[in-house]
Amino acid sequence: MHGAVGDHGHAEDGTGHYQHLGGTQSSNRLGIGMDSCVIPLRHGGLSLVQTTDFFYPLVEDPYMMGRIACANVLSDLYAMGITECDNMLMLLSVSQKMNEKDREKVMPLMIRGFRDAAEEGGTSVTGGQTVVNPWIIIGGVATVVCQPNEFIMPDNAIPGDVLVLTKPLGTQVAVNAHQWLDNPDKWNKVKLVVSKEDVELAYQEAMFNMAMLNRTAAGLMHTFNAHAATDITGFGILGHAQNLARQQRCDVAFVIHNLPIIAKMAAISKACGNLFGLLQGTSSETSGGLLICLPREQAARFCAEIKSPKYGEGHQAWIIGIVEKGNRTARIIDKPRIIEVTPRGAPSNHDNNHSNPSPEQQQPGLS
């Protein structure tokens, strides 16, 4: 399953080609390629917002895989600042290669994980489709009907904004490195830069991050006047930043200075040459954080607020770049600052010097 994260091609990863369909009636209509489609309804100024996604398993725990799949579907709503979901459908493919005993053990756990995450998001699964084919596949459809003030169109970034990211990068590297623990040829390439304990901790951290909903971040987008956002998935941080930049109304460019990465994953990526492209921003992520354009004066407050105890454990955010005048492109500077994000459960004497700098320390090119 090498390179499993992101290899599913992401149904939602047409994120790149947001389409604004013209005409006054459809100025708030978004079609194919958007994180979610936004369709104005005939009734009372309401819009239907809907998204779908599915992929192959990438972690060993079936329950957590169900949670990750659900979080990934809902993330497309959260990327538009939508915090509620009216209904979810589940898409499930059972592998014909599994024997009946394994099937009866694994599939209910995946279903339960998906349902539990939906419940955490304040919604429920009311139907879907199950098929048998060569592969296990899990995904779903999320639907909400909402008023215009409930979503944030992803096209209002202006020069002077800053870029905020709400989950660390490195999920693909962590998942693959964990698989390499059982593959001496692969492990020998990285064992000089990372310990087995480091890989186990990174894998657990990646799994919990992928399963965590972006709902809190979506709500805070309204509080702190976000101008645009997308979620980070199969195209990596740079791919999604470029997709988002391309759709802005103003002539802007996104410049990324900082890369928050699960601890030790940058070292693994370097040891593997260009296999992942983590430091270049092209490494696939699954159920990653939101990349949000925020007014400069609000960004540090957003980062502080999301980490407050009232939102529960695990929420983090970093200021990773700036929005400047430009031609709707995004780039990572030549030598970005790597912020090593220490996994939960790491020993307290673990190198924590760079894990969570204050928002002020993170602000690239800002004084």
Side-chain angles (χ1 to χ4, degrees), residues 158-200:
I158 57 172
D161 283 351
V162 295
L163 302 171
V164 168
L165 182 66
T166 66
K167 287 184 188 179
L169 306 169
T171 54
Q172 182 185 41
V173 181
V175 167
N176 279 277
H178 188 256
Q179 291 165 4
W180 294 350
L181 292 176
D182 301 320
N183 183 330
D185 288 344
K186 295 275 178 64
W187 179 248
N188 286 339
K189 289 181 181 174
V190 298
K191 67 180 182 183
L192 295 179
V193 299
V194 69
S195 71
K196 292 191 173 184
E197 291 73 23
D198 288 330
V199 169
E200 285 288 355

Side-chain angles (χ1 to χ4, degrees), residues 23-67:
T24 54
Q25 290 290 61
S26 56
S27 59
N28 269 356
R29 173 189 286 262
L30 287 164
I32 294 168
M34 180 50 201
D35 283 320
S36 303
C37 67
V38 179
I39 310 296
L41 299 177
R42 296 185 299 275
H43 313 290
L46 299 172
S47 290
L48 173 76
V49 184
Q50 195 168 55
T51 184
T52 185
D53 195 12
F54 62 89
F55 50 78
Y56 309 116
L58 50 112
V59 298
E60 293 167 4
D61 183 328
Y63 175 79
M64 288 302 287
M65 191 58 236
R67 289 197 75 108

